[in-house]
Amino acid sequence: MREEIDIIKSNIESVVKTPLFDIDNYILVPFDDPGCGPPIILKTLSKLVEVVNIVEVSGGNECPENSLPAIEQALTASKPNSMIFVFTDGYASNNSKLNSIENLCRSTNSQVIILLSGKCVPSGTKTVVGTIDAYFDVAKACSGSVIQLQLNNFRQVFRMIKEISKTDWTEIVANKVGPEQFTISIDGYTKDVVMTVTGEYPNLEILDDNGQTPVIDRIVNTLHSKVIRLISPSVGIYTVKIFCQGKTLVTIYKRREVNFRLGFSPKLARSMKETTNLPLPGKINYISIAIAEITIELKSIYIKLNGRHVKKVDVEIVDRSLGLYSAQEYFEPETSFKITIYGHDQSYQVIKGSTGTLTTQKLIQELQFQRPKIEWIEPKVALVEYKANITLACKVSGYPKPNISWSDDTGHIFPSEDALLETRSVFISYAYIDRITENSTIHCKAESSEGEDTLTMYLYVNRSLTFEVIEYPQDATFEYSKEGQLFCKVDAYPDASIQWYHNDSLVENSDNLEIISDQSMLLLKNMTPQLTGEYRCEISNNVQNASYTAIVDISGVEIPEIELKDSELVLRLDDWVNVECTINKGKPAPKVNWKFKTENGYEEIPEGVSAEENHLKIPSVKTEHIGIYKCEAENIFGSDSKGLLIKVEYPPKIKFYDKLKIVRLDEDVELSCEVDAIPKAEVKWEKKQDDIIIPLDSRHETDEWNTLRFTASSIDSGNYYCIAENYLGRAERIVTLNVLVPPYIDPPPRKIVTIRAGESITLQCHVHYGHPVPSTKWEFIALNSTLTTLLRGSSINDLTLNNVSKSYEGSYICLAENMAGSDTIKIDLKIF
């Protein structure tokens, strides 16, 4: 409420000075929540102003307000027939005092006017707290009104208070009437008529001789008071119908003046159509004076302000053919004034004319929502000179304020300027059109939430043959991906056509090229290398033609250049890898891709490897990740790539082969030991027998692939160990070698042995070697060729024959054999 109180302080004195009625005393009842009062009763105006000026706001955010008890106290303390104005910014906290207030209003015949500048809304929500109904009930019971306002138009309430009575009018007629009909006569000198109607829910209707409603200015329009002004009323008889509940006071004010016209406008008016009858308050106004007789020359005017101060103001002629003059003056709000003009005719006789008492425009408290309506100030059809600068104007009425725009048939919007002409609902709009070069259809359009209206005028251009090239394409360099523009403008009559060519091909609208509607500009929307080259515009009409070329190049581009910190990485198993491919250059920003080299070329990166933007990531390095990776960056201008070799260090691994190898004597032996290790492993072969290392001799050779080669001998069978070792670990492979050696039996000392019957003899069969260990047996072939196996044994088998007889005579054969071969000896035994 702080701002409202400040406004009251600045306006209270001017309000109470208005002679509304005899004032016996002044009563001020302050209120807050929860208290109110006590009433402060003052005898003089100066004391009231003094007390109001020391009123301060305390507390804050008390909502709803404790307003009804304050109204009750004001009604109780005031005399009958008092007028009580209630200033509040919130709803009533309760209606417990409503019956008492109604009884007091009926008993005192006092009027309560509630000026409400806000409502109660809890913080953070849009839910309204409380209700306005209590105020409605008070106003109804107390013949008052509820005026809802916002802070920015709060001062308008004082206009309503002050407009209850007017002074210094030519004619004032007041009547107390009920609902009835009467007439008002307006002659040729009557320039202003104001009518006030005060009562309960008033309404009125005014009709001229033709049954039409005249143009009116609603100065006040509330539930209980209406004040209207007839705007430039025509001569005639007006019928007034009053519709109201209960008693009504009707007051009619008339003002007459001499035969000249006066108008006010926020801008210098070119005709009286651009003005209104009263000046805007608180602003410098242009005063337009139109003398009916153009032979009269006006020199100055005198303005009498508030019935006291007289000020001389010089005038300037605007249009002598119209008898139009202009002056400037600032008018304070609520100012009353008279204007007297002084001029002379052709014989230099002084001519004087005077207005009645005028005031600044009143701020209307409540306006009905009104659909925009446009009134042309300009003629509907006009002929203008080629390349002339023109200003057009239209007058727009409507509430709320419409959005006013000016355009032509192509949709081109002209610069324009709007200004308030009559408070809150009538505006004047000016459009500025420079160097008009072709016939045009001009639209003034006004639109608001209530609707829209459009008026059209036609401009025809008077011009001669011309062909002037204003602008032609120039060599240019445009930055990559940015917008570029080439111009080819001509001022030609008859109209010339323009065609654009790119590298000798006719340009048509595309994603990257657009010809603006009038053909005068070629828009390169997104500069790429494809848009470089030669551009040509060709201009022609049926009188003349011209051609212009320009070379367009591109800038802000770079071939990609990338960098890898390392070209080779040596890792261990399960290491984490994050390699960045740094982009040093490249416009537009190149796209980065990682690939992996296989025997078929570069392909997708292996499983377990990811590429995120320009980073190559391996969460856990495995041997399958070993290889060459390539980072490639590419844009539309080229590419760059860098290679990365990833090595993984790991302990030796020996490829699996057969664990047993069998060869024959004197065959070539190859024992493989394929080792995989990084770094390279030290590899050696050892032969062990019963955990004893048996040195390898010169027969054993090892090649570069760690293969052990030698020729098998009878002593080579055994376990061979391939041992691979680097600093990360060791691996072994065991191969068991079996050398197959055929048996060999030492020859007997005698092949024929003779003994006597009855003697004993031992036949020797000594197997000297053989691998695997050969099996042996003795066989006997008797003289009759009968074969008998006598004994089976190991490598050394001696056959003993005891007490031999003639039947023992024959051939004895010792046989040794293994999987590698066999050997035999034969001994013939003679018995005598």
Side-chain angles (χ1 to χ4, degrees):
M1 194 68 190
R2 186 182 307 277
E3 291 85 356
E4 288 90 335
I5 290 178
D6 289 340
I7 296 174
I8 293 171
K9 290 178 181 180
S10 63
N11 289 271
I12 185 65
E13 185 172 2
S14 64
V15 171
V16 296
K17 280 183 177 180
T18 303
L20 305 177
F21 35 68
D22 293 333
I23 300 175
D24 291 336
N25 57 26
Y26 304 87
I27 300 175
L28 178 65
V29 183
F31 63 92
D32 59 10
D33 192 7
C36 68
I40 303 171
I41 302 175
L42 305 162
K43 291 295 184 180
T44 64
L45 169 62
S46 60
K47 287 293 185 181
L48 173 66
V49 174
E50 181 180 341
V51 172
V52 169
N53 282 329
I54 64 174
V55 171
E56 295 293 337
V57 175
S58 64
N61 299 321
E62 294 87 8
C63 199
E65 297 283 0
N66 197 33
S67 51
L68 293 191
I71 296 174
E72 181 187 42
Q73 287 195 17
L75 288 167
T76 302
S78 63
K79 295 182 178 182
N81 300 310
S82 293
M83 180 175 290
I84 298 170
F85 294 91
V86 182
F87 294 87
T88 179
D89 64 349
Y91 293 151
S93 59
N94 62 73
N95 59 1
S96 62
K97 299 293 184 180
L98 186 57
N99 289 335
S100 174
I101 291 173
E102 291 175 350
N103 291 332
L104 286 169
C105 283
R106 283 193 292 268
S107 63
T108 62
N109 198 32
S110 293
Q111 183 181 1
V112 178
I113 299 174
I114 299 172
L115 307 171
L116 179 61
S117 62
K119 57 185 177 180
C120 301
V121 178
S123 177
T125 75
K126 294 184 179 180
T127 304
V128 176
V129 176
T131 174
I132 199 171
D133 291 343
Y135 290 151
F136 284 164
D137 293 338
V138 170
K140 181 177 180 181
C142 299
S143 301
S145 62
V146 177
I147 307 299
Q148 288 184 272
L149 307 162
Q150 291 180 339
L151 186 61
N152 59 1
N153 57 22
F154 190 79
R155 289 182 172 83
Q156 295 182 16
V157 302
F158 300 101
R159 181 185 179 191
M160 185 198 76
I161 299 171
K162 293 167 67 174
E163 286 287 347
I164 293 175
S165 177
K166 285 284 188 179
T167 59
D168 197 20
W169 287 80
T170 306
E171 180 180 349
I172 301 175
V173 178
N175 290 295
K176 289 184 178 180
V177 299
E180 67 175 44
Q181 175 177 313
F182 57 89
T183 60
I184 301 174
S185 176
I186 297 177
D187 58 22
Y189 295 99
T190 304
K191 303 301 181 182
D192 202 5
V193 176
V194 169
M195 182 181 301
T196 68
V197 181
T198 303
E200 188 174 2
Y201 306 109
N203 198 1
L204 72 159
E205 179 181 276
I206 302 176
L207 300 176
D208 61 15
D209 290 340
N210 298 319
Q212 300 296 317
T213 301
V215 179
I216 62 174
D217 177 17
R218 298 183 182 274
I219 299 172
V220 175
N221 185 9
T222 71
L223 292 174
H224 297 279
S225 296
K226 291 187 183 296
V227 180
I228 66 166
R229 174 181 287 110
L230 273 66
I231 305 298
S232 302
S234 302
V235 175
I237 304 298
Y238 289 76
T239 301
V240 181
K241 295 179 180 180
I242 301 296
F243 305 95
C244 189
Q245 300 180 14
K247 295 181 179 180
T248 304
L249 176 65
V250 178
T251 304
I252 300 172
Y253 303 83
K254 290 185 180 180
R255 177 177 62 84
R256 296 185 178 94
E257 64 179 13
V258 295
N259 193 20
F260 69 92
R261 291 187 297 160
L262 193 68
F264 302 88
S265 59
K267 303 290 181 181
L268 179 63
R270 300 167 300 164
S271 71
M272 295 303 292
K273 290 182 179 181
E274 298 177 13
T275 67
T276 188
N277 292 332
L278 296 175
L280 289 168
K283 296 181 180 294
I284 294 178
N285 287 256
Y286 283 89
I287 305 171
S288 297
I289 305 102
I291 308 298
E293 179 57 60
I294 62 174
T295 58
I296 297 175
E297 185 176 350
L298 183 63
K299 292 296 185 180
S300 60
I301 63 173
Y302 289 82
I303 303 176
K304 187 175 184 180
L305 298 170
N306 295 320
R308 296 183 297 274
H309 176 65
V310 177
K311 182 178 181 180
K312 180 181 179 183
V313 180
D314 293 333
V315 298
E316 295 182 359
I317 190 164
V318 176
D319 190 333
R320 186 176 294 276
S321 65
L322 298 177
L324 184 62
Y325 296 82
S326 177
Q328 292 187 63
E329 183 58 33
Y330 177 84
F331 291 92
E332 293 283 356
E334 306 294 337
T335 298
S336 62
F337 61 93
K338 288 184 177 180
I339 293 181
T340 303
I341 65 172
Y342 291 88
H344 60 82
D345 58 15
Q346 291 176 324
S347 61
Y348 289 92
Q349 294 295 315
V350 174
I351 297 177
K352 176 182 176 183
S354 186
T355 68
T357 300
L358 305 176
T359 62
T360 56
Q361 295 183 31
K362 306 299 181 181
L363 300 178
I364 302 174
Q365 298 301 318
E366 292 185 2
L367 284 176
Q368 294 181 352
F369 288 94
Q370 178 185 356
R371 180 186 179 92
K373 183 178 180 182
I374 302 175
E375 175 187 346
W376 266 127
I377 294 175
E378 307 295 335
K380 187 173 182 179
V381 179
L383 180 66
V384 297
E385 291 299 320
Y386 179 67
K387 289 188 179 182
N389 297 334
I390 61 173
T391 299
L392 303 178
C394 68
K395 187 182 295 185
V396 180
S397 60
Y399 183 79
K401 181 186 181 305
N403 179 40
I404 307 171
S405 62
W406 293 79
S407 63
D408 59 18
D409 279 349
T410 68
H412 176 71
I413 304 298
F414 296 106
S416 61
E417 184 178 11
D418 304 336
L420 180 66
L421 191 63
E422 297 178 13
T423 54
R424 300 185 66 188
S425 63
V426 181
F427 307 87
I428 189 165
S429 178
Y430 292 96
Y432 306 105
I433 305 177
D434 294 338
R435 294 175 59 84
I436 185 166
T437 59
E438 58 185 0
N439 298 339
S440 301
T441 302
I442 307 299
H443 309 282
C444 175
K445 183 176 181 180
E447 52 186 343
S448 72
S449 59
E450 299 303 303
E452 64 180 52
D453 191 17
T454 302
L455 286 184
T456 300
M457 75 173 296
Y458 303 94
L459 298 181
Y460 293 97
V461 177
N462 180 30
R463 64 179 300 185
S464 57
L465 294 177
T466 183
F467 194 95
E468 179 185 354
V469 177
I470 300 172
E471 190 172 1
Y472 54 86
Q474 305 284 334
D475 292 349
T477 299
F478 301 127
E479 187 175 354
Y480 173 77
S481 80
K482 301 296 184 181
E483 183 181 281
Q485 297 174 348
L486 296 176
F487 296 94
C488 191
K489 295 182 179 180
V490 62
D491 180 10
Y493 184 75
D495 291 338
S497 63
I498 298 174
Q499 286 187 313
W500 289 91
Y501 293 84
H502 177 213
N503 294 331
D504 294 327
S505 296
L506 182 65
V507 173
E508 297 180 351
N509 287 340
S510 65
D511 291 340
N512 286 330
L513 287 175
E514 180 181 356
I515 303 173
I516 304 306
S517 57
D518 64 356
Q519 313 293 318
S520 65
M521 186 180 83
L522 180 62
L523 179 63
L524 289 71
K525 300 179 183 177
N526 183 19
M527 190 62 195
T528 63
Q530 292 74 23
L531 297 182
T532 60
E534 181 184 270
Y535 287 83
R536 183 174 78 256
C537 82
E538 293 187 354
I539 312 168
S540 63
N541 62 12
N542 56 9
V543 177
Q544 193 173 345
N545 58 72
S547 178
Y548 301 90
T549 61
I551 303 298
V552 171
D553 203 351
I554 190 170
S555 65
V557 296
E558 290 178 334
I559 296 176
E561 181 181 296
I562 60 175
E563 178 184 353
L564 287 176
K565 183 179 179 181
D566 300 297
S567 60
E568 178 179 313
L569 289 178
V570 180
L571 309 170
R572 293 189 181 183
L573 290 175
D574 298 322
D575 276 355
W576 161 263
V577 177
N578 185 353
V579 179
E580 181 180 7
C581 183
T582 304
I583 301 173
N584 292 332
K585 292 181 180 180
K587 290 185 181 179
K591 181 180 179 182
V592 176
N593 190 24
W594 285 92
K595 293 185 177 180
F596 181 69
K597 187 175 184 181
T598 68
E599 58 185 21
N600 296 323
Y602 283 96
E603 298 180 349
E604 296 297 320
I605 54 179
E607 186 176 352
V609 181
S610 64
E612 299 177 8
E613 295 181 351
N614 58 335
H615 287 259
L616 183 74
K617 296 182 178 181
I618 308 177
S620 180
V621 173
K622 306 298 180 186
T623 55
E624 56 264 29
H625 300 150
I626 297 172
I628 298 176
Y629 294 80
K630 180 173 70 173
C631 173
E632 185 174 53
E634 184 177 13
N635 63 16
I636 61 175
F637 296 100
S639 63
D640 188 19
S641 64
K642 292 290 187 293
L644 172 67
L645 173 61
I646 291 184
K647 296 180 180 180
V648 178
E649 291 186 335
Y650 49 88
K653 294 184 293 183
I654 301 176
K655 186 174 181 180
F656 176 79
Y657 288 96
D658 294 336
K659 294 182 179 181
L660 175 65
K661 192 170 185 67
I662 299 175
V663 299
R664 294 181 180 274
L665 184 68
D666 296 327
E667 284 186 350
D668 290 334
V669 178
E670 290 187 358
L671 302 182
S672 297
C673 186
E674 188 174 337
V675 177
D676 183 15
I678 297 178
K680 184 177 180 181
E682 295 289 337
V683 181
K684 64 181 179 178
W685 282 92
E686 290 181 351
K687 182 181 179 184
K688 291 184 180 180
Q689 189 71 37
D690 297 328
D691 292 330
I692 298 174
I693 297 175
I694 301 173
L696 300 177
D697 56 25
S698 59
R699 293 183 304 109
H700 299 81
E701 296 179 351
T702 303
D703 63 18
E704 58 183 319
W705 295 282
N706 306 314
T707 302
L708 181 63
R709 289 186 172 86
F710 55 92
T711 300
S713 69
S714 60
I715 64 173
D716 288 334
S717 293
N719 291 328
Y720 289 80
Y721 290 79
C722 176
I723 302 170
E725 188 173 13
N726 65 12
Y727 78 93
L728 295 174
R730 170 189 173 100
E732 289 185 357
R733 177 181 175 239
I734 303 175
V735 182
T736 301
L737 177 65
N738 281 337
V739 179
L740 301 180
V741 180
Y744 176 75
I745 304 173
D746 290 337
R750 293 178 299 167
K751 294 184 177 182
I752 300 175
V753 177
T754 301
I755 63 171
R756 292 178 185 275
E759 292 181 351
S760 297
I761 189 172
T762 297
L763 302 178
Q764 293 182 343
C765 181
H766 184 256
V767 180
H768 187 66
Y769 54 82
H771 185 77
V773 176
S775 65
T776 60
K777 66 180 178 178
W778 283 96
E779 294 179 337
F780 171 62
I781 301 175
L783 293 176
N784 62 1
S785 302
T786 301
L787 176 64
T788 302
T789 300
L790 300 177
L791 180 67
R792 295 181 182 275
S794 59
S795 58
I796 300 177
N797 288 294
D798 291 339
L799 180 62
T800 302
L801 301 175
N802 296 314
N803 193 21
V804 298
S805 63
K806 191 65 175 179
S807 62
Y808 283 78
E809 188 175 60
S811 298
Y812 290 85
I813 299 171
C814 179
L815 174 65
E817 64 180 347
N818 62 13
M819 61 188 300
S822 63
D823 194 13
T824 61
I825 60 170
K826 186 174 78 169
I827 301 174
D828 292 327
L829 182 63
K830 300 290 185 179
I831 306 298
F832 63 89

